[in-house]
């Protein structure tokens, strides 16, 4: 069965500093990896995705993520954090699963808090 | 373009009562998803539709949950009867026209259900 782990419930960073939100995954086939952001009382918004090709993908609002196949990781990064980046971040994976399904699987989320 | 619409935004019911949620996806999106997001957890897929057909409902508690997507556009998710553990946010999402594995999902604002 496929799974996604976000090992940190909360990440705290000062404004202007670089940030990293960690994600590791487990799948039986090739993964399609996604990051979404959720602001209070709103649905999830797509940030970026890795399908194939360059291991470093760039997305919305200055975010980027690095796919590392050997470490089965897809960490979200930003060179300089903004207070407005404070939100809940979800990593998700889709891949072939037993029985022929491709159920999207989400991590439990990481709360990012950027301090002024 | 208009986003994914959901209603109601909030619902409070007593256990053993019935409730229904409505979703209207982005125009032209063939794939529609219903997720359950319990507080402190990531979204969990309940059911996925492709047009008006069910692609995957392996995680839908079929003894009490049902969903339909008549005419392949809007969709309704029903819980009958509700239990305390059904308290959650119910998210609807849709995919870009191809609806493939590599396509990001567009989420609605969700319906927050409280079962007393």
């Amino acid at each position: 069965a496929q799974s996604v782990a976000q090992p940190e419930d909360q990440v705290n960073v000062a404004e202007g500093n670089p940030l990293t939100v960690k994600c590791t995954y487990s799948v039986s086939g090739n993964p399609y990896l996604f990051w979404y952001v959720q602001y209070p009382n709103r649905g999830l918004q797509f940030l970026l995705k890795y399908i194939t090709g360059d291991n470093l993908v760039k997305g919305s609002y200055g975010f980027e993520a690095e796919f590392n196949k050997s470490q089965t990781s897809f960490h979200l990064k930003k060179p300089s954090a903004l207070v407005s980046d404070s939100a809940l971040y979800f990593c998700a994976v889709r891949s072939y699963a037993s029985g022929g399904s491709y159920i999207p699987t989400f991590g439990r989320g990481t709360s990012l808090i950027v301090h002024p | 373009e208009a986003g994914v619409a959901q209603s109601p935004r909030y619902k409070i019911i007593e256990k053993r009562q019935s409730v229904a949620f409505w979703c209207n996806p982005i125009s032209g999106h063939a794939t529609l998803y219903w997720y359950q997001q319990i507080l402190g957890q990531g979204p969990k897929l309940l059911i996925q539709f492709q047009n008006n057909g069910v692609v995957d409902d392996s995680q839908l508690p079929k003894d009490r949950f049902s969903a339909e997507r008549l005419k392949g556009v809007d969709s309704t998710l029903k819980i009958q009867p509700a239990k305390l553990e059904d308290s959650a946010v119910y998210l609807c999402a849709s995919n870009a026209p191809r609806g493939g594995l590599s396509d990001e999902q567009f989420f609605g604002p969700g319906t927050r259900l409280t079962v007393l």
Side-chain angles (χ1 to χ4, degrees), chain B:
Chain B
E1 68 183 354
V4 176
Q6 290 188 248
S7 68
R9 290 295 310 275
Y10 305 91
K11 189 72 176 180
I12 300 174
I13 62 172
E14 296 189 349
K15 60 183 179 183
R16 292 188 290 274
Q17 286 188 322
S18 301
V19 64
F21 313 126
W22 174 83
C23 172
N24 191 16
I26 292 173
S27 178
H29 282 196
T31 308
L32 184 148
Y33 310 78
W34 281 104
Y35 290 89
Q36 180 191 58
Q37 185 178 16
I38 294 174
L39 186 64
Q41 299 181 20
K44 172 189 170 184
L45 181 71
L46 293 175
I47 189 167
Q48 176 183 339
F49 291 96
Q50 181 78 16
N51 296 308
N52 61 348
V54 175
V55 173
D56 194 296
D57 63 356
S58 58
Q59 300 187 126
L60 184 74
K62 298 180 185 63
D63 58 334
R64 299 184 300 108
F65 286 65
S66 64
E68 60 183 10
R69 192 184 183 196
L70 300 176
K71 302 180 182 178
V73 181
D74 55 351
S75 176
T76 303
L77 176 69
K78 297 180 181 178
I79 307 175
Q80 180 179 6
K83 293 185 176 182
L84 296 177
E85 59 261 34
D86 298 333
S87 294
V89 175
Y90 290 85
L91 296 167
C92 179
S94 65
N95 262 135
R98 290 195 322 277
L101 299 181
S102 62
D103 291 329
E104 62 270 25
Q105 297 172 55
F106 296 80
F107 285 82
T111 297
R112 183 177 298 276
L113 173 67
T114 301
V115 182
L116 303 176

Side-chain angles (χ1 to χ4, degrees), chain A residues 3-73:
Chain A
S3 63
V4 175
Q6 293 182 243
E8 302 154 318
D9 289 336
Q10 184 170 302
V11 170
N12 290 276
V13 63
E15 187 174 33
N17 283 359
L19 69 86
T20 298
V21 182
K22 296 179 180 178
C23 171
T24 59
Y25 65 91
S26 174
V27 298
S28 56
N30 292 322
Y32 299 102
L33 293 155
F34 304 81
W35 276 102
Y36 291 86
V37 60
Q38 187 175 34
Y39 297 100
N41 298 317
R42 297 182 66 177
L44 281 69
Q45 296 176 34
F46 169 75
L47 277 180
L48 51 78
K49 65 182 177 183
Y50 171 81
I51 305 303
T52 186
D54 194 348
N55 289 342
L56 184 65
V57 294
K58 296 186 182 296
S60 306
Y61 312 121
F63 284 93
E64 58 189 27
E66 186 169 10
F67 171 66
N68 188 317
K69 186 174 184 178
S70 62
Q71 296 185 7
T72 61
S73 66

